Amino acid sequence: MSDKTLFQKIMDREIPASIVYEDAECVAFNDITPQAPVHILIVPRKPIPRVGDAVAEDQGQLGALLLAAGKIAEQLGVKERSKGFRLVINQGVDAGETVPHLHVHLLAGRALAWPPG
Ligand code: 5GP
């Protein structure tokens, strides 16, 4: 039985997803249950379970997620200040984490309430 994470299977094209960006460190695709008109998941190729499990050697992957977010926001036309986007990382039960492979949510395309629920 495969011990790949769900998101590794998406990266390896074993499970279909709409991939919008990829580079040497990460892959980004549309969330299957979008919470905004733009809802992208940006995932490191390395299956770090969650942000609190990252170690010093993961610094490059962690930085790559944020750099990718800026590029994707530009690609999707939401980078300018008059629009904008939000990045979210959920860790653990209280935050609603459901997939144990680190991912950054990029949400945009509507006004996003603050504070979040
Ligand atoms: P979390 O709740 O762990 O922060 O986020 C997991 C996200 O993965 C959720 O927003 C959920 O909709 C998304 N997701 C779960 N399964 C799939 C899938 O098979 N394909 C895609 N594209 N997204 C998924």
Side-chain angles (χ1 to χ4, degrees):
M1 201 178 93
S2 169
D3 54 5
K4 288 180 183 178
T5 70
L6 171 64
F7 290 164
Q8 283 178 299
K9 290 177 186 170
I10 288 176
M11 287 178 205
D12 291 345
R13 274 64 171 180
E14 293 170 15
I15 292 176
S18 175
I19 294 177
V20 298
Y21 174 87
E22 58 186 318
D23 63 27
E25 306 290 355
C26 60
V27 176
F29 46 87
N30 285 305
D31 196 293
I32 203 169
T33 310
Q35 301 301 315
V38 174
H39 188 171
I40 307 291
L41 301 175
I42 310 168
V43 184
R45 292 188 185 276
K46 179 178 175 182
I48 301 162
R50 55 195 59 80
V51 69
D53 295 324
V55 294
E57 70 178 31
D58 297 329
Q59 187 169 342
Q61 276 90 3
L62 298 180
L65 297 176
L66 297 185
L67 290 172
K71 291 177 190 168
I72 294 163
E74 183 158 38
Q75 188 178 301
L76 297 177
V78 297
K79 188 176 164 188
E80 60 264 39
R81 195 166 155 75
S82 63
K83 294 190 176 171
F85 60 94
R86 180 172 294 165
L87 303 179
V88 174
I89 298 175
N90 294 320
Q91 162 141 353
V93 173
D94 279 355
E97 175 202 317
T98 57
V99 177
H101 183 150
L102 175 61
H103 47 283
V104 176
H105 297 257
L106 188 162
L107 297 148
R110 66 171 172 82
L112 299 163
W114 191 264

